[in-house]
Amino acid sequence: MTALKLIPRKEFERAGDDLGLLADMCRANALVAVKRAGSGHLGSSFSSLDIVAHLLWRELNVAELGWDDPDRDIFFSSKGHDVPGLYAALHALGEIPTERLLRLRRLGGLDGHPDIGVPGIEANSGSLGMGLSKGRGMAWAKRYLDRGGIVVVMTGDGELQEGQNWEALASAAHQRVGNLWAIVDRNELQSDRPTEEILALGDLEAKLRAFGSHVEVCDGHDHDALAAAFASMRAAPADVPKVLVANTIKGRGVSFMEHPRALRDEAFARAHDELVDRIEQRLPDLQLEEVPPLEERVSLEGEPESGAGTRSAVTDEYVAAAYGEELLQLVTRHPEVVVLDADLASDCRVRTVELEQPSRFVEVGIAEQDMVSMAAGLARQGLLPVVNSFASFLASRANEQIYNQASEGTKVVYALHYAGLIPAGPGKSHQSVRDISLLGALPNVTIVQPVNAEETRALLRWAIEDAEESVAIRLAIGPSPRRTELDGGLQPGRGSVLRDGDGPTLLAYGPVLVHEALVAAEALAARGVDLRVVAMSWLNRFDAEWLEELGEEEDVFVLEDHAPVGGLADGLRRALDGRARVTAFGVEGWPACGTPPEALRAHELDGLSLAARIERATSLAPSP
Amino acid sequence: MTALKLIPRKEFERAGDDLGLLADMCRANALVAVKRAGSGHLGSSFSSLDIVAHLLWRELNVAELGWDDPDRDIFFSSKGHDVPGLYAALHALGEIPTERLLRLRRLGGLDGHPDIGVPGIEANSGSLGMGLSKGRGMAWAKRYLDRGGIVVVMTGDGELQEGQNWEALASAAHQRVGNLWAIVDRNELQSDRPTEEILALGDLEAKLRAFGSHVEVCDGHDHDALAAAFASMRAAPADVPKVLVANTIKGRGVSFMEHPRALRDEAFARAHDELVDRIEQRLPDLQLEEVPPLEERVSLEGEPESGAGTRSAVTDEYVAAAYGEELLQLVTRHPEVVVLDADLASDCRVRTVELEQPSRFVEVGIAEQDMVSMAAGLARQGLLPVVNSFASFLASRANEQIYNQASEGTKVVYALHYAGLIPAGPGKSHQSVRDISLLGALPNVTIVQPVNAEETRALLRWAIEDAEESVAIRLAIGPSPRRTELDGGLQPGRGSVLRDGDGPTLLAYGPVLVHEALVAAEALAARGVDLRVVAMSWLNRFDAEWLEELGEEEDVFVLEDHAPVGGLADGLRRALDGRARVTAFGVEGWPACGTPPEALRAHELDGLSLAARIERATSLAPSP
């Protein structure tokens, strides 16, 4: 691998106010940061970077006033996927130090999605559709507090499929919040496919005007056109919210990146060369700064976008892939099964269903609430919907819709992808450590998480063919750190012993933390403690006999790929009713952003930390 | 009170196909049903009844084919508030028996909001904004299954403020679900005030057209106009979703009800007389059937709409009223406090803030997600937002937005009104027994529920002036069943002893279930068991010393105004870590619909049932 090279800050000063050049320079540095991180959304960063550069270097007062001034203009991205580009711009403006830019998606570095812990970041975002409401709150507050500055919120175009945007726009017009600007990065591509195919926006201008905004449209890479559009927005009535639809090209700035979604290794180098060549034409004798090597290799662990890196414990097993394969078979076998997706078909491994069984696949766009209620309607007609999204979005944003569906007593299978702490690079908007708690109080939803590919297939078959109520299946999105084997077939409500022992019992679920549990057992074995490791894939349903056996233990340890509140341990304590003492190790506080080992260590959930915690807990436990 | 009189089914047959007359007859019977229930939304029922009658008696095939035929047209109301009118129509058509119509909002009768357990009801609804998605699912399934019939979904006009509607409409156009009809009951009044004031819909037709629907507009009380509109919808392209904006008048059919929101006692009689007089002009010798008296009086317990009835244990204390009064004072004292509302200002007792401090009040319309994200933006500007809605909507629909706000580490106060099982008349869409579980896994949100007016004031002051993190305050909406007094000031994380005793300890929270706990103690005292009753208003934060004391008990009983999953008991078990055995009594299964005593008894949470359960548990508990 050739060394990575960054454009240092002083070179940006030489670029003067050549906005196109500045944007390209930010592209080059964003590319390096993402390359080093191993993952990140480049296409979205590149489409928005001309706009970001134009705003920060020319249109807004924030770089001049600084990010602490109450009268500053506020800019943030609602989609948040484009944050590597914004980081590069904030670095160029001196707000983010070089060392931190080079720690994208690393512990103590820059979060994979915007977080206000990072200098220059004005709002947490990354889960789509909240930005216009939040920006309106800021703009309303500025008016109330008699503060200067406008609030500019960047949204994606696919993002406008989230209904909250239309709530926000209607209110912005009604409340006459004219110091709110929205900029739609209209690159016409969303996560999976062109916006027109996923869920066409139709006459977007007409929609925005009907919702009461002043609307401008321009080429989002043409700085003269941007300047004219912003001037028109300044000239528009003060009490009307403004929207700029900026037509852009995803991946803009690198010829072969304009449109494809991810970049493999060698492509990174070619992209960087192309950008640097063009920058050098306008900035001769460009000085690049070599980036020091990382202290450790970076792991990917199933990031939605590709990159490089390895981790010692990684197999080629993906439970999510097994899910997709088995689902395709089940769809083929059962004509009542219909698969729903909210623009994450690739990540959720349902693309093959879409391609091979198109009549059984429903794409709703980025609209999780709509997806769940539509599924409820399908189920009322006797179909069996399988609903897919990331756990953090599905269990949370569509929570009331799931409650409503469950209250009808129909059956829906919810596939909660990307459940748990890992991968930790995308940050807290994407890590799902609350989903068990969010579904746990529904009377008729079984929650499970398979530990390996084989169990994934078995659980999905059971959910579709045998379960008598709705089922939520948590799925790890990344590769399994080790291959495990379970004895016997599926045993509802019972754990499977993965490592027998006469020491205390540790229950764990999901491939990632079951691996850490086994690492802990190996570490403890060396110290003479013979930990029993049980994979417990049933997170809220317990077989009475199995519970009886468990209740005979003195101490039961539970490893949660979840917050300590509302997970497996809470359910077990309830069911054990005082038998056995249950000690849980879960994700305390906000999930850490970083590589898998960093995040696991930060929460003391890696095998070695666990071994120490279990040893401490057992030696401190009162004797019977 | 004069006897209530119902129009029997055979009289409807005499009305032939006089749709206006049929609608009036349904109005008269809906009035009787609501009068008997003690509460219910009449205005919304009356505005939609001409449309409902037109659909069921003329336009749709369902009354002819029956409600089990797969090829039937499907009709349901997304808003659901208008279900008394639909019940009356279903009764007239023979689908709902008379005895059941007369048990509106009673256990085993008709749910306060639509539930598919009732004959003729096609979908659970009542929480706004889900119906178009669900209807689209049904319509998609009909197409896929090659079934006949269209799907007609009634929505409110205020309801269109929920963003999910726009998700649903965009997808209906994109997916070419042309067998979906939406009918907007455009009565221009929402719960609190005119739609134009709350959040103007603007050019609704332009919005609907921009979102890809075929749009018709007509007078929703003119049957010729309705017939013409429906004919145009049938003639419109088969693959385009259809929307009828039906201009209606809330309370239509009773002169003095056209617009006011609720009816007091004597007004019911006048309204009924007016309707019957008009019906008799067209249907001479109208025979009315006297309704047998109720076996017990009906209680209201703070229903959003008024009515009659009493219950033995009811005071004139409303914790919600104390909240509103204290909030007004705090707003006056603290310029940074801003109050947000999503069209429930009266029920949430923030109307006085709106009237007396209009600059500090933000109305967002029926858009809970937008409200929470706007509050997040306000908080990022240093303001302190107090967000109001019903617990069932706020904690659930805006869950991801609350997570996002909390992740920014700002402070927001969430007022979760109408928390818990009671009042039970409106049914499961409104009863909130999951909210503690939905917020519990957030690392930095304190959840509390005051037991009386004084503590409500103290907790709100603490939340606004002292708390260092976000606070969720659960509030009962109805009157307190008894007045309680707490010793000393506010003691974060500690319970307050309401009744000392040397028997087991029962923890309870909120005025409703604390009363039942005290009833249980009184019942047990008569049998020589000296129950200690502790009001525990801190639902997820425990003082270490208090826990220590509690841990010395052998058995701790917890009474949850919540599901048994994710409530106070789960948190206590976690915190007690094996000390004391915790037994919880919570709302198992789906919350029952009925009067307060009915619902409490149905869940065995009334004082006498509790006494028996505690006695059983203690006598069965193993000796130390």
Side-chain angles (χ1 to χ4, degrees):
Chain A
M1 195 170 92
T2 53
L4 298 176
K5 288 179 180 171
L6 206 67
I7 303 175
R9 281 196 57 206
K10 64 176 172 3
E11 294 291 89
F12 282 85
E13 282 156 26
R14 283 176 63 208
D17 66 348
D18 184 338
L19 296 168
L21 176 61
L22 287 164
D24 264 353
M25 293 168 79
C26 291
R27 286 187 180 100
N29 281 357
L31 190 68
V32 169
V34 167
K35 170 71 178 148
R36 204 170 147 89
S39 67
H41 297 254
L42 283 170
S44 181
S45 291
F46 282 19
S47 71
S48 67
L49 255 172
D50 279 299
I51 302 162
V52 171
H54 197 110
L55 288 169
L56 293 183
W57 268 277
R58 183 171 296 169
E59 187 63 34
L60 304 183
N61 67 13
V62 58
E64 191 188 334
L65 295 183
W67 274 265
D68 287 326
D69 193 299
D71 291 323
R72 72 182 181 279
D73 294 324
I74 290 177
F75 168 72
F76 69 91
S77 168
S78 177
K79 55 178 173 168
H81 300 85
D82 52 352
V83 78
L86 180 57
Y87 287 151
L90 291 168
H91 166 257
L93 289 163
E95 191 64 13
I96 291 178
T98 304
E99 318 78 71
R100 200 152 178 189
L101 181 66
L102 295 174
R103 289 190 62 80
L104 175 60
R105 295 187 169 220
R106 300 297 303 272
L107 197 67
L110 299 174
D111 292 67
H113 286 85
D115 190 283
I116 57 169
V118 173
I121 298 298
E122 302 273 15
N124 286 13
S125 59
S127 176
L128 301 174
M130 303 181 193
L132 291 178
S133 304
K134 199 184 275 190
R136 195 182 76 245
M138 294 175 179
W140 191 100
K142 274 183 175 291
R143 187 174 65 186
Y144 172 70
L145 295 165
D146 207 15
R147 287 181 179 165
I150 60 172
V151 179
V152 181
V153 180
M154 172 93 77
T155 78
D157 48 358
E159 182 178 12
L160 294 180
Q161 291 158 1
E162 287 285 5
Q164 189 183 346
N165 291 290
W166 303 98
E167 298 177 352
L169 288 166
S171 263
H174 185 83
Q175 296 169 358
R176 304 189 176 283
V177 184
N179 52 342
L180 175 68
W181 288 17
I183 302 182
V184 182
D185 180 14
R186 183 99 173 92
N187 60 33
E188 295 188 351
L189 271 180
Q190 42 196 112
S191 163
D192 274 348
R193 281 189 290 122
T195 305
E196 280 304 294
E197 292 176 22
I198 295 283
L199 199 173
L201 286 174
D203 188 345
L204 179 57
E205 284 178 63
K207 288 183 180 176
L208 293 166
R209 290 212 171 91
F211 273 76
S213 292
H214 171 94
V215 182
E216 297 285 331
V217 181
C218 80
D219 177 346
H221 302 301
D222 177 337
H223 289 275
D224 292 337
L226 284 168
F230 292 143
S232 299
M233 287 157 85
R234 299 239 180 231
D239 62 351
V240 174
K242 286 88 185 168
V243 183
L244 168 63
V245 178
N247 293 309
T248 60
I249 295 168
K250 203 153 181 174
R252 172 70 175 207
V254 175
S255 52
F256 62 92
M257 274 178 69
E258 296 192 352
H259 294 316
R261 182 157 166 254
L263 279 187
R264 299 282 152 196
D265 260 28
E266 80 289 0
F268 271 98
R270 280 172 54 213
H272 196 255
D273 287 349
E274 182 179 329
L275 282 165
V276 168
D277 283 352
R278 197 166 61 241
I279 293 165
E280 280 180 332
Q281 285 167 24
R282 292 156 88 173
L283 207 63
D285 304 319
L286 176 73
Q287 299 299 309
L288 293 172
E289 214 170 64
E290 198 159 312
V291 171
L294 279 173
E295 66 272 36
E296 58 176 289
R297 308 274 309 268
V298 173
S299 159
L300 270 190
E301 301 268 320
E303 279 287 356
E305 296 201 351
S306 73
T310 60
R311 185 182 173 218
S312 52
V314 163
T315 69
D316 60 356
E317 176 191 85
Y318 283 80
V319 293
Y323 163 84
E325 289 159 17
E326 188 67 27
L327 182 61
L328 179 61
Q329 291 187 25
L330 288 161
V331 165
T332 311
R333 206 149 69 224
H334 298 285
E336 76 278 15
V337 175
V338 175
V339 177
L340 290 91
D341 172 55
D343 191 31
L344 288 170
S346 297
D347 290 328
C348 297
R349 310 290 186 132
V350 295
R351 176 54 51 81
T352 50
V353 173
E354 179 181 14
L355 295 175
E356 298 191 21
Q357 296 279 357
S359 72
R360 314 284 290 287
F361 179 86
V362 181
E363 177 58 67
V364 300
I366 307 172
E368 297 76 13
Q369 304 193 331
D370 179 61
M371 174 165 61
V372 169
S373 293
M374 183 185 183
L378 295 171
R380 283 283 295 152
Q381 287 284 309
L383 298 178
L384 176 45
V386 180
V387 171
N388 295 271
S389 189
F390 286 176
S392 55
F393 311 145
L394 185 52
S396 179
R397 185 165 309 206
N399 190 279
E400 196 185 7
Q401 288 76 9
I402 295 174
Y403 173 81
N404 176 276
Q405 174 272 316
S407 81
E408 292 183 332
T410 54
K411 179 170 147 187
V412 170
V413 175
Y414 295 100
L416 304 173
H417 297 267
Y418 192 170
L421 178 68
I422 303 297
K428 56 176 82 75
S429 63
H430 285 56
Q431 293 160 287
S432 185
V433 297
R434 295 192 308 134
D435 50 284
I436 307 174
S437 71
L438 295 178
L439 303 179
L442 295 167
N444 57 351
V445 177
T446 300
I447 311 171
V448 295
Q449 177 166 9
V451 70
N452 61 24
E454 188 193 343
E455 195 185 29
T456 302
R457 294 175 191 276
L459 278 172
L460 185 61
R461 276 195 304 271
W462 172 84
I464 286 179
E465 297 179 343
D466 301 320
E468 287 175 3
E469 58 185 15
S470 291
V471 179
I473 306 185
R474 301 184 100 215
L475 291 165
I477 200 168
S480 302
R482 80 167 75 188
R483 288 186 177 274
T484 51
E485 285 198 22
L486 303 179
D487 280 345
L490 206 66
Q491 300 180 78
R494 300 183 67 93
S496 303
V497 179
L498 285 177
R499 181 188 191 283
D500 215 345
D502 57 14
T505 293
L506 175 61
L507 305 177
Y509 49 93
V512 175
L513 286 194
V514 161
H515 167 68
E516 300 302 337
L518 290 167
V519 171
E522 289 148 15
L524 285 170
R527 306 199 203 178
V529 178
D530 198 13
L531 196 67
R532 191 163 157 264
V533 177
V534 176
M536 182 54 188
S537 303
W538 304 83
L539 303 179
N540 69 335
R541 295 289 183 264
F542 311 117
D543 174 82
E545 194 182 286
W546 181 81
L547 265 186
E548 199 66 41
E549 290 160 23
L550 192 70
E552 286 163 17
E553 310 261 333
E554 186 183 327
D555 270 306
V556 172
F557 293 93
V558 177
L559 180 50
E560 308 265 12
D561 197 0
H562 192 271
V565 176
L568 172 61
D570 277 4
L572 278 176
R573 283 193 200 95
R574 210 181 305 121
L576 285 169
D577 193 20
R579 293 168 288 171
R581 181 173 128 168
V582 177
T583 303
F585 308 115
V587 181
E588 301 272 352
W590 300 99
C593 177
T595 64
E598 283 176 344
L600 289 165
R601 270 202 302 272
H603 291 286
E604 296 185 78
L605 295 176
D606 61 295
L608 296 186
S609 302
L610 283 171
R613 293 171 83 181
I614 291 169
E615 200 167 42
R616 220 152 50 221
T618 42
S619 66
L620 284 176
S623 311
Chain B
M1 196 172 92
T2 53
L4 299 176
K5 288 178 180 172
L6 206 66
I7 304 175
R9 282 197 57 205
K10 63 177 173 5
E11 294 293 87
F12 282 84
E13 282 155 26
R14 281 176 64 209
D17 66 349
D18 185 338
L19 296 167
L21 175 60
L22 287 164
D24 264 352
M25 293 168 79
C26 290
R27 285 187 180 99
N29 281 357
L31 190 68
V32 169
V34 167
K35 170 73 177 145
R36 202 169 148 90
S39 66
H41 297 254
L42 283 170
S44 181
S45 291
F46 282 20
S47 70
S48 67
L49 254 172
D50 279 300
I51 302 163
V52 171
H54 198 109
L55 288 169
L56 293 183
W57 269 277
R58 183 171 298 170
E59 187 63 35
L60 304 184
N61 67 14
V62 60
E64 191 189 332
L65 295 185
W67 273 265
D68 287 325
D69 193 300
D71 292 322
R72 73 184 180 278
D73 294 323
I74 290 177
F75 168 72
F76 69 91
S77 167
S78 176
K79 55 177 173 169
H81 300 86
D82 51 351
V83 78
L86 179 58
Y87 288 150
L90 290 169
H91 165 257
L93 290 164
E95 190 64 13
I96 291 179
T98 303
E99 319 78 72
R100 200 151 178 190
L101 181 66
L102 295 173
R103 290 190 63 80
L104 175 60
R105 296 188 169 219
R106 300 296 303 274
L107 197 67
L110 300 173
D111 292 67
H113 286 86
D115 189 284
I116 57 170
V118 173
I121 298 298
E122 301 273 14
N124 286 15
S125 59
S127 176
L128 302 174
M130 303 182 194
L132 292 178
S133 304
K134 197 183 276 190
R136 196 181 77 246
M138 295 176 178
W140 191 100
K142 273 183 175 291
R143 188 172 65 185
Y144 172 71
L145 295 165
D146 207 16
R147 287 181 179 164
I150 59 172
V151 179
V152 181
V153 181
M154 172 93 76
T155 78
D157 48 358
E159 182 178 10
L160 294 181
Q161 291 158 1
E162 288 284 6
Q164 189 182 347
N165 290 291
W166 303 99
E167 298 176 352
L169 288 166
S171 264
H174 185 82
Q175 297 169 358
R176 304 188 175 284
V177 184
N179 53 342
L180 176 68
W181 288 16
I183 301 181
V184 182
D185 180 14
R186 182 100 173 91
N187 61 33
E188 296 188 350
L189 270 180
Q190 43 197 112
S191 162
D192 274 348
R193 280 191 290 121
T195 305
E196 280 304 295
E197 291 175 22
I198 295 283
L199 199 172
L201 285 174
D203 187 345
L204 179 57
E205 283 178 65
K207 287 182 181 177
L208 293 165
R209 291 212 171 90
F211 273 77
S213 291
H214 172 94
V215 183
E216 297 285 332
V217 181
C218 80
D219 177 346
H221 302 300
D222 177 336
H223 289 276
D224 293 336
L226 284 168
F230 292 143
S232 299
M233 288 158 83
R234 300 240 179 232
D239 63 350
V240 173
K242 285 89 185 167
V243 183
L244 169 62
V245 179
N247 294 308
T248 60
I249 294 167
K250 205 155 181 173
R252 173 70 176 210
V254 176
S255 53
F256 62 93
M257 275 179 68
E258 296 193 354
H259 296 315
R261 181 155 168 254
L263 278 187
R264 299 281 153 196
D265 259 29
E266 80 287 0
F268 271 97
R270 280 172 53 214
H272 196 255
D273 287 349
E274 182 179 329
L275 282 165
V276 168
D277 283 353
R278 198 165 62 242
I279 293 165
E280 280 180 331
Q281 284 168 25
R282 292 155 89 173
L283 207 63
D285 305 318
L286 176 73
Q287 300 299 309
L288 292 172
E289 214 170 65
E290 198 158 314
V291 171
L294 278 173
E295 66 273 37
E296 59 177 289
R297 307 276 308 268
V298 173
S299 158
L300 270 191
E301 299 269 319
E303 278 287 355
E305 295 200 353
S306 72
T310 60
R311 185 183 174 219
S312 52
V314 164
T315 69
D316 61 356
E317 176 191 84
Y318 283 80
V319 294
Y323 162 84
E325 290 159 17
E326 188 68 27
L327 182 61
L328 179 61
Q329 291 187 25
L330 287 161
V331 165
T332 310
R333 207 148 69 225
H334 298 285
E336 76 277 15
V337 175
V338 175
V339 176
L340 290 90
D341 172 55
D343 192 32
L344 288 170
S346 298
D347 290 327
C348 296
R349 309 290 186 134
V350 295
R351 177 53 51 80
T352 49
V353 173
E354 179 180 14
L355 296 175
E356 299 192 20
Q357 296 279 357
S359 73
R360 314 285 290 287
F361 179 87
V362 181
E363 177 57 67
V364 300
I366 307 172
E368 296 76 14
Q369 305 194 333
D370 180 61
M371 174 165 63
V372 169
S373 294
M374 183 184 183
L378 295 170
R380 284 282 295 152
Q381 288 283 308
L383 298 178
L384 176 45
V386 180
V387 171
N388 295 272
S389 188
F390 286 175
S392 56
F393 311 145
L394 185 52
S396 181
R397 186 166 308 205
N399 190 279
E400 196 185 9
Q401 287 77 8
I402 295 174
Y403 173 81
N404 176 277
Q405 175 273 316
S407 80
E408 292 184 331
T410 54
K411 180 169 147 185
V412 170
V413 175
Y414 294 99
L416 305 173
H417 298 267
Y418 191 170
L421 178 68
I422 305 298
K428 55 176 83 77
S429 63
H430 284 57
Q431 293 161 286
S432 186
V433 297
R434 296 193 308 135
D435 51 286
I436 307 175
S437 72
L438 295 178
L439 303 180
L442 294 167
N444 57 353
V445 177
T446 300
I447 310 170
V448 295
Q449 177 165 9
V451 71
N452 62 24
E454 187 193 345
E455 195 185 30
T456 302
R457 294 175 192 277
L459 278 171
L460 184 62
R461 278 196 303 272
W462 172 84
I464 286 179
E465 296 179 343
D466 301 320
E468 287 175 2
E469 57 183 18
S470 291
V471 179
I473 306 184
R474 303 183 98 215
L475 291 165
I477 200 167
S480 302
R482 79 166 77 189
R483 289 186 177 274
T484 52
E485 285 198 23
L486 302 179
D487 280 344
L490 207 66
Q491 301 180 77
R494 299 181 68 92
S496 302
V497 179
L498 284 178
R499 182 187 190 283
D500 215 344
D502 56 14
T505 293
L506 175 61
L507 305 177
Y509 49 93
V512 176
L513 286 194
V514 161
H515 167 68
E516 300 301 337
L518 290 167
V519 171
E522 288 148 14
L524 285 170
R527 307 199 204 176
V529 179
D530 198 13
L531 197 66
R532 193 165 156 261
V533 178
V534 176
M536 182 52 187
S537 303
W538 304 82
L539 303 180
N540 68 336
R541 295 287 183 264
F542 310 118
D543 175 82
E545 195 182 285
W546 181 81
L547 265 186
E548 200 66 39
E549 292 160 21
L550 192 69
E552 286 163 17
E553 310 260 334
E554 186 185 328
D555 270 306
V556 172
F557 294 93
V558 177
L559 181 51
E560 308 265 15
D561 197 0
H562 192 271
V565 177
L568 172 61
D570 277 4
L572 278 176
R573 283 192 200 96
R574 210 181 305 120
L576 285 169
D577 192 20
R579 294 168 287 172
R581 181 173 129 168
V582 177
T583 302
F585 308 115
V587 181
E588 301 271 354
W590 300 98
C593 177
T595 64
E598 282 176 343
L600 289 165
R601 269 201 302 272
H603 291 286
E604 295 185 81
L605 295 176
D606 60 294
L608 295 186
S609 301
L610 282 171
R613 293 172 83 181
I614 291 169
E615 200 167 43
R616 219 151 52 220
T618 42
S619 66
L620 285 176
S623 310

